[in-house]
Amino acid sequence: MLQAIQQKIDPTAGLPDVKAASEARSLLTVDQVTLRYKTPNLLITATEDVSFSVERSDRFVLLGPSGCGKSTLLKAVGGYMAPVSGSIHINGRPVKKPGADRMMVFQEFDQLLPWKTVLENVMFPLIVARKLPRREAEARAREYIDKVKLTRATDSYPHTLSGGMKQRVAIARGMAMQPDILLMDEPFAALDALTRRQMQDELLQLWEDTRFTVIFVTHSIAEAIKISNRILLLSPHPGRVKAEVINVDRARQDDGSAAALERDIHNLLFSESGHRE
Amino acid sequence: MPSPQIILAADVTTNRQHTNVAEVEQRLGSLELILGISAVRKTVLIIVLAIIWQVYASYLDNPLLFPTLSDTLTTLYDRFVDGTLPSRIWTTLQVLITGYVAGTLLAAILTILAINTRIGTDFLETMTAMFNPLPAISLLPLALIWFGLGASSLVFVLIHSVLWAVALNTHAGFLGVSRTLRMVGGNYGLTGLSYVMRILVPAAFPSILTGLKIGWAFAWRTLIAAELVFGVSSGQGGLGWFIFENRNLLDIPAVFAGLLTVIIIGLIVENLVFQTIERHTIQKWGMKE
């Protein structure tokens, strides 16, 4: 059933079918997950029967229009809500509650603790969750603050930083924990367009350095293509897997293949009737 | 067909002199600078009021009704030097601090229970709704029957006046902590008490501080009022009793001196203690402008 819905788009077009990723050694497996949440008078099905798997060093993007349950799905991976049916495993262990092996980066600027400086914000989870000694935590925090180019703001309080700088701190905080997966929930959505571009480039640069695994939620097709190597396309109301795009990193800006892929994905997302937007 | 082109600003404006630099930034006059400080303006206001007081009281020339400022200050000084006022202040503060600390601790326990359990929330909300509108002083007659004519009655009433204000504000503050911050706390694996102390308390600190301030104001007023009415406890009364006693002796300057002391202590706590805490916490953290 699921296989029937799933389509593969290959941006390079020349390659033959690529086999589905091997299930056995996946870092994260999401298996036929249905998520529901309650509002005061409604029970809403956010996603239905969604399956995917994430490999080590993947830059995996969940892409879809609003209402496709991509953020809810990320929260379930984060352990903030339990699936009604299906299962989520990380490293073979079922996900039951939030934990520091899956660090979240949120869209909101208020995700930093306002009563701590940049350095303390990055150090805090290292001390309380990783149980590192202070000195070690500080050394590692400084290293990652340098990586996101915030050395000058190390001792500033979050309220003195710009939106982009705050998101950099959040990314540094997540990466310093060296989690199994970094979960990013539209981290650049609240930034202005110029800063967003810059942040996307910096994120890719960081990935080149450390090859961390990341799941990235976005509703921007262009951002998805720029950042990811794999994209899971979700359809809305309720969220179902519509397609998976692989080898996205082969798409290039200069020969127009990225633009073509963007068009294809756009057509795929908006072709189907019954989409309310 | 013309193609897009980038023209650099540096190529266009070559060495143009800026002549209006001086007009952009100009120093304010020194009088304007001094009047910009609110403390200066307020001090001037107090001095003006003091002069009006002195002049009017001298003109009235009736120390039994309205003593002059200089009489009041002289009495204040005398009573300080002979040790009456300091010992009265000490009595009052002892009771006040006992009640305030106990009330705050109880409020902490109640709100921690309320944030972790639903029955705790229901309990706190019901109790606050019932007891917050009830003036603490109205419980004093009952307290006197239960605990006798001593400091414990006053402490009981003080706890009542502090508890609900602090609990109400703290609980509201906890509920107002953004979902993102709560998720961040969960992400770090913080649960139970460590989650409350490390995430909720600092995040809700503006509300908690407001609660502490309101609690302080309630406690201070309640205590002075209670002492005025039922003041003598264990042989020595506090500030409220000092005022009451001197009215009976028709020593009106001393009554004024007592009132002035109440005002000054209130001012010191509100403006020095709480503002210092505020400056070092929520202002530094950008939680309050």
Side-chain angles (χ1 to χ4, degrees):
Chain A
M1 171 67 190
L2 190 77
Q3 293 301 321
I5 306 170
Q6 211 163 21
Q7 303 173 25
K8 304 275 181 194
I9 303 179
D10 190 352
T12 50
L15 287 178
D17 294 351
V18 181
K19 288 186 196 72
S22 63
E23 302 289 318
R25 289 171 30 72
S26 293
L27 177 62
L28 175 84
T29 52
V30 172
D31 189 27
Q32 299 190 315
V33 162
T34 300
L35 294 168
R36 292 202 178 94
Y37 60 88
K38 278 184 199 154
T39 65
N41 41 22
L42 290 172
L43 179 67
I44 291 172
T45 304
T47 68
E48 197 169 73
D49 217 10
V50 170
S51 301
F52 62 88
S53 61
V54 178
E55 312 301 324
R56 224 165 278 280
S57 293
D58 261 350
R59 286 163 287 148
F60 192 89
V61 166
L62 297 172
L63 174 66
S66 54
C68 73
K70 51 194 189 304
S71 282
T72 316
L73 203 52
L74 196 73
K75 285 197 181 82
V77 174
Y80 292 102
M81 61 188 297
V84 181
S85 67
S87 65
I88 304 173
H89 284 81
I90 180 161
N91 278 327
R93 284 175 289 109
V95 166
K96 289 210 181 76
K97 56 179 197 262
D101 53 343
R102 288 147 287 140
M103 286 297 285
M104 301 274 298
V105 176
F106 299 91
Q107 173 185 344
E108 292 83 3
F109 293 152
D110 69 345
Q111 61 185 303
L112 301 179
L113 311 179
W115 58 92
K116 290 183 179 295
T117 62
V118 168
L119 179 68
E120 289 166 346
N121 257 295
V122 182
M123 281 170 66
F124 184 55
L126 291 170
I127 291 170
V128 299
R130 282 273 180 276
K131 311 279 181 226
L132 286 189
R134 264 199 99 76
R135 185 178 302 197
E136 225 172 291
E138 188 178 329
R140 203 198 279 188
R142 285 189 188 280
E143 177 192 336
Y144 278 91
I145 291 170
D146 287 349
K147 267 195 209 301
V148 297
K149 304 190 184 100
L150 279 179
T151 318
R152 271 175 40 196
T154 305
D155 293 316
S156 310
Y157 282 91
H159 71 104
T160 60
L161 306 180
S162 68
M165 291 163 91
K166 284 181 192 165
Q167 297 308 80
R168 282 198 192 100
V169 178
I171 292 170
R173 173 173 76 176
M175 287 181 54
M177 290 288 283
Q178 298 169 352
D180 291 333
I181 302 188
L182 198 59
L183 305 175
M184 304 182 92
D185 189 3
E186 306 194 33
F188 307 146
L191 298 174
D192 63 273
L194 289 176
T195 314
R196 191 182 314 154
R197 275 193 175 198
Q198 197 186 350
M199 296 288 293
Q200 290 163 354
D201 291 335
E202 286 179 13
L203 186 71
L204 283 176
Q205 193 58 52
L206 287 170
W207 185 85
E208 292 292 338
D209 288 352
T210 51
R211 305 265 162 165
F212 53 92
T213 314
V214 58
I215 303 182
F216 193 106
V217 167
T218 182
H219 54 243
S220 155
I221 302 176
E223 185 170 74
I225 292 173
K226 185 165 183 185
I227 280 179
S228 72
N229 65 335
R230 289 168 64 203
I231 302 176
L232 193 74
L233 291 183
L234 296 163
S235 64
H237 307 297
R240 294 198 182 96
V241 175
K242 191 159 199 179
E244 190 183 331
V245 192
I246 58 172
N247 293 332
V248 182
D249 43 353
R250 309 263 181 86
R252 291 161 58 93
Q253 292 291 340
D254 42 15
D255 64 359
S257 60
L261 180 60
E262 188 173 341
R263 246 189 337 269
D264 288 347
I265 293 176
H266 182 270
N267 290 338
L268 194 61
L269 280 178
F270 294 100
S271 59
E272 202 164 292
S273 59
H275 169 55
R276 295 163 253 161
E277 194 72 55
Chain B
M1 199 171 100
S3 60
Q5 200 182 349
I6 298 176
I7 301 167
L8 291 177
D11 300 337
V12 180
T13 55
T14 47
N15 297 328
R16 198 198 298 156
Q17 288 293 322
H18 295 285
T19 51
N20 60 345
V21 173
E23 287 156 30
V24 177
E25 276 183 33
Q26 276 181 330
R27 283 193 62 82
L28 296 171
S30 51
L31 184 67
E32 214 171 336
L33 278 177
I34 291 170
L35 287 181
I37 307 166
S38 85
V40 173
R41 296 197 305 269
K42 284 175 184 164
T43 314
V44 171
L45 206 62
I46 286 177
I47 292 170
V48 170
L49 286 176
I51 292 169
I52 293 175
W53 176 358
Q54 180 69 25
V55 170
Y56 180 69
S58 311
Y59 159 77
L60 212 61
D61 194 23
N62 188 348
L64 269 185
L65 272 184
F66 196 66
T68 60
L69 175 62
S70 50
D71 281 355
T72 307
L73 289 180
T74 321
T75 318
L76 188 66
Y77 177 77
D78 290 344
R79 296 302 171 92
F80 250 99
V81 173
D82 71 10
T84 7
L85 262 179
S87 81
R88 295 303 169 87
I89 292 172
W90 179 234
T91 314
T92 300
L93 284 185
Q94 265 177 319
V95 177
L96 184 77
I97 290 167
T98 317
Y100 191 69
V101 171
T104 312
L105 284 180
L106 271 176
I109 293 169
L110 274 187
T111 35
I112 288 172
L113 284 179
I115 206 70
N116 282 312
T117 62
R118 197 166 66 173
I119 182 77
T121 315
D122 292 343
F123 179 75
L124 180 66
E125 280 174 1
T126 317
M127 295 304 275
T128 320
M130 269 167 57
F131 286 120
N132 200 34
L134 184 68
I137 193 84
S138 63
L139 282 179
L140 194 58
L142 202 57
L144 288 172
I145 297 174
W146 288 348
F147 302 103
L149 203 70
S152 39
S153 299
L154 292 178
V155 170
F156 173 79
V157 174
L158 281 184
I159 288 176
H160 175 83
S161 75
V162 175
L163 173 59
W164 309 115
V166 176
L168 189 71
N169 279 282
T170 308
H171 188 60
F174 283 177
L175 293 181
V177 173
S178 78
R179 207 171 49 96
T180 319
L181 275 185
R182 283 185 276 138
M183 285 173 80
V184 168
N187 204 179
Y188 295 174
L190 295 173
T191 49
L193 198 61
S194 65
Y195 169 69
V196 173
M197 298 313 289
R198 284 164 179 271
I199 301 290
L200 289 185
V201 168
F205 204 68
S207 305
I208 295 177
L209 201 59
T210 307
L212 288 175
K213 271 195 215 166
I214 296 175
W216 154 260
F218 279 2
W220 185 234
R221 284 154 184 71
T222 305
L223 181 57
I224 299 295
E227 281 182 349
L228 268 174
V229 190
F230 304 92
V232 191
S233 64
S234 59
Q236 209 190 8
L239 263 179
W241 185 247
F242 175 86
I243 294 169
F244 188 72
E245 197 180 35
N246 282 299
R247 193 214 66 151
N248 286 350
L249 299 173
L250 287 181
D251 187 354
I252 306 303
V255 172
F256 271 70
L259 291 174
L260 211 56
T261 316
V262 172
I263 293 176
I264 290 169
I265 294 177
L267 277 181
I268 287 175
V269 174
E270 269 164 46
N271 288 326
L272 282 181
V273 178
F274 281 114
Q275 271 192 15
T276 312
I277 296 176
E278 212 166 84
R279 225 183 5 261
H280 285 94
T281 53
I282 56 181
Q283 274 184 18
K284 194 166 87 178
W285 305 336
M287 288 169 150
K288 183 197 174 196
E289 289 313 310

